[in-house]
Every structure is written in C-alpha cells, then in structure tokens.
Amino acid sequence: MLNDQTFGHGGSVPERAIRGEIPECHFLEFTYNYRLFDRYACPIASLAVLADDDDGWKPDHYGFEVLGCKHHFQFPVVKLSGLADQTEALDTHRNPFALVTAAHLRTRQTRHDPEARYQAKRTLVRLLYQHGWERQRILDLFAVLDWMMRLPDRLEQKLWQDIAAIEGESKMRYVTSVERLAIQRGIQQGEQRGAQKGEAAVIQRLLTKRFGSLNAETLTRLQTAPCEQLESWAENLLDAATLDEVFKDN
C-alpha cells in the first residue's frame, strides 16, 4: 500500500483525481483516518510502516488547497530499514510484531544466501516456542515466517527436521503432525490446481498495487513464466523501486 511515489504539488484535487495522479499511500492514509473519525467520532491516529530500502522516501503528509480551503494531514512514519541494526533486540522482544519485523529484515539480508536464511529462519522458529505464546499464535506466526522466508527444498526439509527436534525439546508439537500434513496437502492441491497460475496472480496483484496498471507485455510474461522465475521476481519485488527492477536478471 505504501509504495507510490512521493506526493507532489500542482493541479487542483479534482483534476488530479480525474487523471488518477493522487498517490495511493498518502490518499489512503487520509481516507482511512477520516472514515474512522466519521464512524467513531473520536480522534484517530494513523501510522505508516514502510518496508522499502529508500532512505530518502518517507511520505508523511497529504494535503490540498482549493478555493481558499486548506487541508493538511500529517502522520508519523516508521522505516523498517532503520531497524536493521536492532535485529537481536527484535528477536528477543515479546511483541509478535517485533518477530515479524525481524523476519522481514532477515529475509532482505539473506536474499542471495540460502544457508544464511535457513539459519535465520531456524532461529526465529525456535524463538516462537520460547516466548510462552499460546498455540494458535505460534501457528499464525509460523505461517507468516514460512511465507516470508522461502527456502530451497533441501534446506526446507532440513528445517522441518529441526522443528521436530525443537518441538520435542519443548514438548509442544504445534507445527508438526496435523499442521504439517495440512500444509503438505495444501501444497499438493495447489500444484494440482496450477501453482504457476496462482503465483502469477499473486505477483500481478502486488505489482498492480505498487506500480499501477500493468501493460499487456508484462501480463504475458507473468502468465507464461515458470514457477522458478516467478519466485525470483517475487524476491526482486522486495527491493525494487521500479517495475523494470522487478524483472531484472539476478
């Protein structure tokens, strides 16, 4: 949501809206804020969390002036990249959002290093069992970690062995057994229904949300690319500032 270009000036609000030039992140922050205010009739605080690596991009306001009427909406912004040197503190923090943030940062740091990602993922999985969280929270957070920190099959199988050992030590068999079988069935069903089509659809939605409508050539590339290529583009999407950077060669 928070990946559009910085809001600029020029042109009245109606004209810019008609031309589709109102940047999504600023406009949505503003829209969500006033809709919540309208519904609950109380002050609303908005916060933007940015997951990109561009230190110079930090949109924090939306406003307009028309016919003598001025409106200025400013909101705080957190750049996850600014927490890159605090991963150890995030690892041990009991807030589940800290663990997800740590997973995001470690995913970016290990983009081209599967072994390092395996070690980081194993560490985070172990922490799931050390915080004393309830079973459902562990399962929910594991699903997030597993989605974010994709591993090659060899390392994924090794990780499952580690998880079995961790659950044996903690006597909390949450992710393995029934959950693992369900995950495996889900993967098999996805393959039977067309994994390529599903992955392409997800990436298409993410690209459209971040860069706007896609042209016919881009849609064709997504629809015809093999799963391995789609996964590579999904990795590129984490850091890409432009559509071309998503499709660059590794």
Side-chain angles (χ1 to χ4, degrees):
M1 179 179 71
L2 302 176
N3 291 310
D4 293 76
Q5 295 181 349
T6 303
F7 181 66
H9 300 285
S12 70
V13 171
E15 291 172 350
R16 292 173 64 80
I18 291 172
R19 296 200 304 265
E21 296 177 10
I22 293 180
E24 183 181 349
C25 72
H26 310 75
F27 184 64
L28 287 181
E29 287 285 351
F30 169 73
T31 302
Y32 292 149
N33 187 279
Y34 82 69
R35 285 183 177 174
L36 288 169
F37 177 81
D38 181 59
R39 178 171 181 177
Y40 296 104
C42 66
I44 303 297
S46 297
L47 169 67
V49 179
L50 305 181
D52 65 295
D53 284 332
D54 185 356
D55 293 333
W57 187 71
K58 200 172 183 180
D60 61 357
H61 69 279
Y62 172 82
F64 58 84
E65 178 179 356
V66 59
L67 299 177
C69 177
K70 295 181 180 180
H71 192 104
H72 182 77
F73 171 63
Q74 190 152 357
F75 47 89
V77 177
V78 174
K79 298 279 286 193
L80 295 186
S81 59
L83 303 174
D85 60 346
Q86 301 180 41
T87 50
E88 291 186 5
L90 291 169
D91 287 347
T92 57
H93 202 289
R94 284 187 51 80
N95 190 314
F97 291 103
L99 189 73
V100 174
T101 300
H104 167 78
L105 293 171
R106 294 188 184 280
T107 298
R108 300 176 78 90
Q109 293 167 355
T110 59
R111 280 192 63 195
H112 303 297
D113 190 343
E115 287 289 342
R117 178 170 294 186
Y118 157 73
Q119 295 291 343
K121 188 173 181 179
R122 183 177 65 174
T123 297
L124 293 174
V125 169
R126 181 177 289 277
L127 288 171
L128 288 176
Y129 296 88
Q130 296 178 355
H131 285 305
W133 288 326
E134 60 184 15
R135 178 179 183 273
Q136 191 57 51
R137 171 166 288 184
I138 290 177
L139 290 175
D140 291 341
L141 288 172
F142 174 79
V144 174
L145 296 181
D146 200 42
W147 173 75
M148 293 176 66
M149 308 183 76
R150 299 284 294 274
L151 292 171
D153 290 342
R154 174 181 61 85
L155 293 176
E156 192 68 36
Q157 293 173 6
K158 186 177 180 181
L159 179 68
W160 276 112
Q161 295 173 358
D162 295 336
I163 293 174
I166 292 170
E167 292 193 334
E169 296 169 5
S170 60
K171 295 181 173 57
M172 295 185 292
R173 297 196 176 278
Y174 293 164
V175 174
T176 53
S177 65
V178 176
E179 283 73 29
R180 183 175 182 181
L181 292 174
I183 292 171
Q184 293 283 8
R185 284 198 298 269
I187 293 173
Q188 293 170 0
Q189 290 172 1
E191 291 173 347
Q192 294 170 358
R193 295 172 184 173
Q196 191 280 341
K197 185 176 180 180
E199 288 190 38
V202 171
I203 295 176
Q204 180 180 333
R205 288 197 298 271
L206 293 174
L207 290 175
T208 301
K209 179 175 288 188
R210 184 164 183 178
F211 301 111
S213 299
L214 305 178
N215 59 34
E217 180 182 356
T218 300
L219 293 175
T220 300
R221 294 185 71 179
L222 292 173
Q223 294 165 3
T224 58
C227 290
E228 294 78 10
Q229 182 64 73
L230 290 172
E231 291 177 3
S232 177
W233 290 340
E235 287 278 323
N236 290 343
L237 183 57
L238 291 172
D239 296 316
T242 66
L243 189 61
D244 289 339
E245 291 183 9
V246 175
F247 295 104
K248 69 181 180 181
D249 293 331
N250 293 331

